[in-house]
C-alpha cells in the first residue's frame, strides 16, 4: 500500500476532532469520510476537517469501499457495536479506549477481527509517544535495575454534571473507564497482567466511581499503586521504581514529554559508611566521578509533535502497510487483559453499567 491510507471516522464528537486534526499532519493519511448519527454534525465536521464524504449513519460509513480503516470515536458502550459494524464491512479498525465496556465485549470484537483476519487496535495513544518508546528501551536495558513498583495516577476535577458522559452510568461513566484505564495500561505495559487485584472507590450521586485507589500485584511480585479521579485533581505523574533507581514521568504522564531518571544513592551511601567505619584519614577517598555517577539525576525532554494523536495513527498505518493484523505495541491479548483487570477492579464496588447486561 503506497497510496495514502484512507480513514473514516465513526462518531463526530470531542476526541474525533482531535484525531482528525492529527491526521491532517500526516502526509500518508487521508481523511475520506465521517459518519455521525446527526447529519448536521457530520456536515460541520466534514467541513472543518476537509472530509469529502459526510454520512448520517455509521453503516454507510462502514460500507464505503474507499475507506481502509475506521476510527471508532464513540462513547464507551458504543465501541463493541461500532467496531463490529466496521469489521463486518471488511474494514481495519482503531477503537478508542477503553477498548470496550467490559472484557466480554472486548473478547467478542477480538475474536471477530481475528476470524476475519482484519486489523484491530485499541487507541491507547499514550503508548506511541516518543517518550514511551524511550521508556520501554530503558526498561529493557534495566537502566534502573529490575523494575519492582509503579506509582501512577490520572485524576482531574470535573464539576458534577449528571448529564455529562463522565457521570452517566448509561455512557459507562466514572473515572476508571475514562482515565483509570491509563495507569492500568501502563502497569500492564511494564509488568504484564496482574495476578492479584485490590481496590476501593467512592461512588458519587449517579452511582459511578468518582475517586478510587487500586493495588495490583503482578506475576513476579511487582506492585502497582494506582489512582484515578474525576472530582479531584491528582499529580498525574508516574514513577517507576527499580532496584537501583527510578524514572519519574512528569505530569501529565499520559501525554508525556519529559522524565527524570535518578540512579540510587545506595552506592554513595555505602562509600560514606566505609569512610566513617575506617575513620576518614585512612579511608580511600571517593573519586568525584563516582559521586557524579551515583545519585545522579538526568531529565530527558522528549517533545511530541502536534497534539500527540498522530503517533497511534502512524502505528496503524505502519501495520497496515506491513500486512499486520495486530500491533506489537498494543496487542489485542493485552487489551483484553486490561479490560479483565478493569472488570475485576470495579466488581467489588458493585459498579455495573446498563450495557454490561449485553454480556
Ligand atoms: N484518547 C484520548 O485522549 C481520549 C480523550 C477523550 C475521550 N476518549 C475516548 O473517546 C470516546 C469518546 O469520547 P468523547 O469525549 O469524544 O465523547 P463525546 O464527544 O461525548 O461523544 C462522542 C460521540 O459519541 C456519540 N454519542 C454521543 N452521545 C451519545 C449517546 N448518548 N449515545 C450514543 N452515542 C452517543 C456521538 O456520535 P455522533 O456524532 O455519531 O452522534 C458523539 O459524537 C470515549 O470512549 C473516551 O474514552 C479518548
Amino acid at each position: 500500500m503506497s497510496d495514502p491510507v484512507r480513514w473514516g471516522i465513526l462518531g463526530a464528537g470531542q476526541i474525533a476532532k482531535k484525531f482528525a486534526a492529527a491526521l491532517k499532519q500526516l502526509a500518508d493519511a487521508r481523511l475520506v469520510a465521517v459518519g455521525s448519527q446527526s447529519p448536521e454534525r457530520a456536515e460541520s465536521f466534514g467541513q472543518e476537517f476537509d472530509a469529502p464524504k459526510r454520512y448520517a449513519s455509521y453503516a454507510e460509513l462502514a460500507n464505503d469501499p474507499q475507506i481502509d480503516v475506521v476510527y471508532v470515536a464513540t462513547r464507551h458502550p458504543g465501541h463493541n457495536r461500532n467496531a463490529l459494524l466496521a469489521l463486518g464491512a471488511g474494514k481495519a479498525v482503531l477503537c478508542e479506549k477503553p477498548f470496550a465496556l467490559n472484557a466480554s465485549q472486548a473478547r467478542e470484537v477480538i475474536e471477530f477481527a481475528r476470524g476475519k483476519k482484519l486489523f484491530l487496535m485499541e487507541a491507547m495513544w499514550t503508548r506511541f509517544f516518543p517518550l514511551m518508546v524511550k521508556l520501554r528501551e530503558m526498561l529493557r536495558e534495566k537502566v534502573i535495575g529490575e523494575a519492582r513498583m509503579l506509582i501512577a495516577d490520572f485524576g482531574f476535577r470535573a464539576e458534577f454534571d449528571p448529564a455529562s458522559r463522565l457521570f452517566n452510568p448509561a455512557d459507562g461513566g466514572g473515572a476508571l473507564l475514562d482515565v483509570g484505564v491509563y495507569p492500568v495500561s501502563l502497569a500492564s505495559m511494564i509488568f504484564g497482567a496482574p495476578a492479584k487485584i485490590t481496590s476501593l472507590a467512592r461512588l458519587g450521586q449517579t452511582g459511578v466511581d468518582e475517586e478510587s485507589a487500586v493495588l495490583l500485584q503482578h506475576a513476579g511480585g511487582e506492585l502497582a499503586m494506582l489512582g484515578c479521579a474525576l472530582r479531584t485533581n491528582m499529580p498525574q505523574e508516574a514513577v517507576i521504581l527499580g532496584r537501583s533507581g527510578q524514572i519519574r514521568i512528569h505530569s501529565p504522564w499520559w501525554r508525556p514529554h519529559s522524565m527524570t531518571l535518578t540512579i540510587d544513592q545506595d552506592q554513595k551511601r555505602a562509600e560514606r559508611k566505609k569512610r566513617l567505619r575506617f575513620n576518614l584519614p585512612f579511608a580511600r577517598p571517593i573519586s568525584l566521578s563516582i559521586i557524579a555517577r551515583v545519585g545522579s539525576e538526568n531529565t530527558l525532554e522528549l517533545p511530541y509533535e502536534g497534539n500527540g494523536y498522530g503517533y497511534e495513527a502512524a502505528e496503524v498505518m505502519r501495520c497496515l502497510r506491513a500486512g499486520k493484523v495486530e500491533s506489537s505495541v498494543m496487542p489485542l491479548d493485552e487489551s483484553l487483559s486490561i479490560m479483565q483487570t478493569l472488570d475485576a477492579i470495579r466488581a467489588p464496588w458493585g459498579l455495573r453499567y446498563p450495557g454490561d447486561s449485553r454480556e
Side-chain angles (χ1 to χ4, degrees):
M1 203 191 271
S2 56
D3 295 333
V5 172
R6 301 166 301 176
W7 288 82
I9 295 185
L10 192 156
Q14 297 308 312
I15 192 62
K17 290 184 178 172
K18 292 183 182 167
F19 189 80
L23 280 187
K24 273 193 161 193
Q25 308 298 315
L26 300 177
D28 56 345
R30 182 172 302 148
L31 177 57
V32 169
V34 59
S36 169
Q37 300 165 116
S38 142
E40 298 77 27
R41 225 175 3 256
E43 192 51 39
S44 68
F45 189 101
Q47 275 180 20
E48 187 176 349
F49 297 102
D50 300 325
K53 298 181 183 184
R54 298 137 196 192
Y55 295 115
S57 84
Y58 298 156
E60 282 176 278
L61 176 91
N63 286 300
D64 183 329
Q66 289 175 328
I67 291 173
D68 302 308
V69 52
V70 170
Y71 167 56
V72 172
T74 48
R75 297 180 179 186
H76 319 339
H79 293 177
N80 162 284
R81 186 174 59 248
N82 300 146
L84 287 173
L85 177 73
L87 291 163
K91 301 298 187 293
V93 167
L94 171 66
C95 180
E96 256 312 330
K97 44 57 56 179
F99 191 52
L101 198 60
N102 54 45
S104 156
Q105 293 184 13
R107 187 179 292 106
E108 184 185 13
V109 183
I110 291 169
E111 284 174 0
F112 190 77
R114 284 183 172 156
K116 290 200 139 227
K117 297 187 171 45
L118 287 169
F119 179 86
L120 173 65
M121 188 181 99
E122 176 189 355
M124 179 39 79
W125 66 313
T126 301
R127 285 203 180 193
F128 303 96
F129 276 67
L131 183 141
M132 284 290 162
V133 175
K134 182 70 185 165
L135 173 71
R136 288 192 291 271
E137 183 190 311
M138 287 162 70
L139 293 175
R140 263 196 313 273
E141 290 172 358
K142 299 213 177 338
V143 170
I144 55 167
E146 196 189 331
R148 298 303 306 163
M149 299 174 96
L150 167 70
I151 306 168
D153 76 81
F154 193 157
F156 68 101
R157 177 164 173 82
E159 289 310 315
F160 178 69
D161 174 7
S164 150
R165 73 169 178 83
L166 292 175
F167 293 93
N168 184 0
D171 284 326
L176 181 67
L177 292 198
D178 201 62
V179 288
V181 60
Y182 285 86
V184 167
S185 184
L186 182 66
S188 169
M189 185 184 94
I190 297 171
F191 300 131
K196 288 184 192 166
I197 298 167
T198 309
S199 66
L200 286 170
R202 182 185 68 76
L203 305 186
Q205 283 177 49
T206 58
V208 303
D209 58 303
E210 294 188 354
E211 283 123 20
S212 70
V214 173
L215 266 180
L216 307 178
Q217 186 159 45
H218 297 263
E222 304 92 340
L223 289 167
M225 291 170 269
L226 315 176
C228 63
L230 53 75
R231 297 277 289 137
T232 309
N233 282 321
M234 294 179 80
Q236 301 189 15
E237 276 192 338
V239 188
I240 303 146
L241 302 124
R243 289 280 190 228
S244 58
Q246 58 178 259
I247 298 167
R248 180 180 300 272
I249 311 176
H250 300 290
S251 184
W253 74 263
W254 45 269
R255 193 179 57 218
H257 58 89
S258 78
M259 60 182 158
T260 297
L261 165 68
T262 308
I263 301 298
D264 278 353
Q265 306 266 344
D266 292 359
Q267 201 177 335
K268 192 172 155 190
R269 274 193 226 110
E271 292 287 346
R272 272 202 197 124
K273 272 188 199 159
K274 209 160 71 183
R275 277 202 297 173
L276 288 174
R277 202 179 321 128
F278 293 107
N279 212 350
L280 257 182
F282 305 104
R284 198 163 57 87
I286 312 164
S287 82
L288 281 176
S289 64
I290 288 180
I291 291 180
R293 190 168 56 78
V294 296
S296 64
E297 247 190 32
N298 282 302
T299 296
L300 278 80
E301 297 287 343
L302 288 151
Y304 54 85
E305 284 179 22
N307 63 12
Y309 289 94
Y311 297 104
E312 61 180 0
E315 169 71 357
V316 172
M317 297 193 291
R318 203 163 28 243
C319 290
L320 292 180
R321 290 185 197 288
K324 292 186 175 171
V325 287
E326 203 168 321
S327 160
S328 58
V329 180
M330 188 66 260
L332 292 171
D333 284 345
E334 196 182 344
S335 290
L336 176 59
S337 151
I338 290 164
M339 285 312 311
Q340 287 166 334
T341 302
L342 295 173
D343 285 0
I345 289 170
R346 69 179 165 101
W349 308 342
L351 174 55
R352 284 185 58 79
Y353 298 111
D356 281 328
S357 55
R358 285 207 314 108
E359 277 169 24

